[in-house]
Amino acid sequence: ALVQGLFLGAMLLLVVYNFALYLLDRRDAAPLYYALSLASGCVMWLGLSGLSFAAFWPEHPAWDFYLLYFALPPGIFVFAQFMRRYLDTPHRLPELDRQFLWMAIFCAGLPPLIQLLRPLVPQALLERSAFPEFINAMTVSVPMFAALAAMHVAVVAVRKGLPSARL
């Protein structure tokens, strides 16, 4: 737990540092989006490692499970926004930027939508089919799709020679 705490502390220092960078230069929103994506990653780390259960709500262990559903969609969206701002895709790659923005909105909106619509599914369908596993697979595969889209944008940016995408 000590190593995990040190890692989380270093991540939180990066959040504070990047937020301070944004406050010093408000013309560039990239540090703000980076700080928010790091903060989302910290929240997910807390939930997946069990540290949030131990530190914040020991009487509610199920909250760790739901913490991922609350942190992942905004994390996907703010990371996509960070990439868009850092690579300046709205000006340098406008068509790819529009596609990436719609992908980010889709990936950030689909997991909560699936979870909100889940109670509307008839109980008989949930008990006698593989539908719950399908819903869970959809919820988990959306972040993988977002990661592949982000990798695609990064590769295109490197191939096009964008100044902020140099290796």
Side-chain angles (χ1 to χ4, degrees):
L2 178 66
V3 174
Q4 289 180 349
L6 289 173
F7 173 75
L8 191 60
M11 294 292 286
L12 290 175
L13 280 175
L14 283 171
V15 168
V16 171
Y17 172 74
N18 281 287
F19 187 68
L21 281 178
Y22 168 71
L23 291 177
L24 292 174
D25 183 19
R26 291 183 186 225
R27 291 174 290 147
D28 186 15
L32 175 66
Y33 288 124
Y34 187 63
L36 291 173
S37 66
L38 282 175
S40 176
C42 289
V43 170
M44 287 186 281
W45 179 266
L46 280 171
L48 291 172
S49 68
L51 290 175
S52 64
F53 161 69
F56 301 118
W57 39 77
E59 63 278 355
H60 302 289
W63 288 6
D64 272 356
F65 174 74
Y66 295 112
L67 196 58
L68 185 63
Y69 287 111
F70 287 111
L72 187 61
I76 290 172
F77 185 75
V78 296
F79 184 73
Q81 291 296 96
F82 162 69
M83 282 188 67
R84 291 179 64 234
R85 296 295 184 263
Y86 185 74
L87 295 173
D88 195 24
T89 56
H91 297 105
R92 298 180 185 272
L93 302 168
E95 182 63 32
L96 185 63
D97 178 70
R98 277 191 296 281
Q99 294 168 0
F100 192 52
L101 177 60
W102 280 109
M103 180 282 316
I105 291 169
F106 171 77
C107 288
L110 189 62
L113 183 66
I114 289 171
Q115 295 303 324
L116 287 173
L117 294 177
R118 192 177 203 165
L120 300 177
V121 176
Q123 191 64 27
L125 182 62
L126 290 174
E127 293 172 355
R128 296 188 190 126
S129 69
F131 192 69
E133 288 80 17
F134 173 73
I135 290 175
N136 289 336
M138 283 293 295
T139 304
V140 170
S141 63
V142 167
M144 297 303 294
F145 176 69
L148 288 173
M151 288 297 295
H152 173 69
V153 170
V155 167
V156 169
V158 168
R159 284 190 173 172
K160 296 278 185 177
L162 269 60
S164 54
R166 286 177 280 164
L167 293 178

